[in-house]
Every structure is written in C-alpha cells, then in structure tokens.
Amino acid sequence: MKISEILKLPLKQINDVPLTQDIEDVYIGDLLSFVIANAKEGTLWLTVQKHMNVIAIAELNDFVGIIFVQDSYPDEDAIQKATELGIPLFLSHKDAYSTAKDLMSLGL
C-alpha cells in the first residue's frame, strides 16, 4: 500500500514531502532501543515520542513515515529535519491502538 492512502483516515500530514513509498509493515513503540532493534525497513511507525531522536531512528531504519499519536506534536527542529530527509510525518488525535485499527481497516 502506498503511504498516500493513509490520508483516507483522520490523519494530518504535518510536513510537505512526497508520499510515494510503499508501507511494508507497521510498528508501534515508544522505547527507542526496541524500535531500533525490531522495526524493519519500509515500516510506518506509530509513537508518542516527538523529539529529534525519532527522526534519526526513522532515517537509520529507512522507515516510510511516522504517525505521532495522541496529538503528540513534534517540535519544529524535528519537522524540519524530517522534511530535509523526505520522511513523511502525520498526526493522529487517536491513541496507537485505535490508529492501528484504522490502518487495518485500509488493509494493512
């Protein structure tokens, strides 16, 4: 599934980057060492973490995007860095479980 298709859900894209990547997996996690160790390339990551380190992890693991759940809005430095790297960022007012259920309804 193309990442652009998730915008059918009540999500807001918070940076202006192309949405052409294919989502191969979804990972929910906030413990950064677990995310580094367990999530794989092509992942869409759901997290409440909102600092610069999440952008570095997304780049390191070649994630296709990040959904910040529960209105956990990242700071401007994180948004700017993600935009430079071409990593799409989204905001959900729902919690991770509800957001994951919504993603499943799209076929993920």
Side-chain angles (χ1 to χ4, degrees):
M1 166 184 296
K2 293 284 184 205
I3 195 166
S4 59
E5 294 182 51
I6 70 170
L7 289 175
K8 296 174 184 173
L9 301 175
L11 300 173
K12 176 184 175 187
Q13 185 176 0
I14 56 177
N15 64 342
D16 186 24
V17 298
L19 302 177
T20 57
Q21 306 93 326
D22 289 318
I23 301 170
E24 297 176 24
D25 197 11
V26 176
Y27 191 88
I28 301 170
D30 299 317
L31 187 56
L32 302 184
S33 59
F34 272 57
V35 176
I36 291 170
N38 297 297
K40 55 189 172 192
E41 182 178 330
T43 290
L44 177 62
W45 181 16
L46 281 62
T47 185
V48 296
Q49 297 288 345
K50 57 186 180 178
H51 45 77
M52 186 70 80
N53 290 346
V54 298
I55 307 306
I57 291 168
E59 179 187 24
L60 174 71
N61 285 17
D62 202 18
F63 291 167
V64 297
I66 304 169
I67 299 176
F68 297 97
V69 296
Q70 293 181 257
D71 291 321
S72 182
Y73 202 89
D75 61 40
E76 287 304 315
D77 290 337
I79 295 170
Q80 180 180 359
K81 186 64 174 178
T83 302
E84 290 171 13
L85 296 170
I87 301 169
L89 304 178
F90 304 91
L91 183 66
S92 174
H93 68 278
K94 296 181 178 184
D95 63 19
Y97 176 74
S98 298
T99 303
K101 285 182 9 182
D102 288 346
L103 291 168
M104 288 177 62
S105 75
L106 293 178
L108 279 173

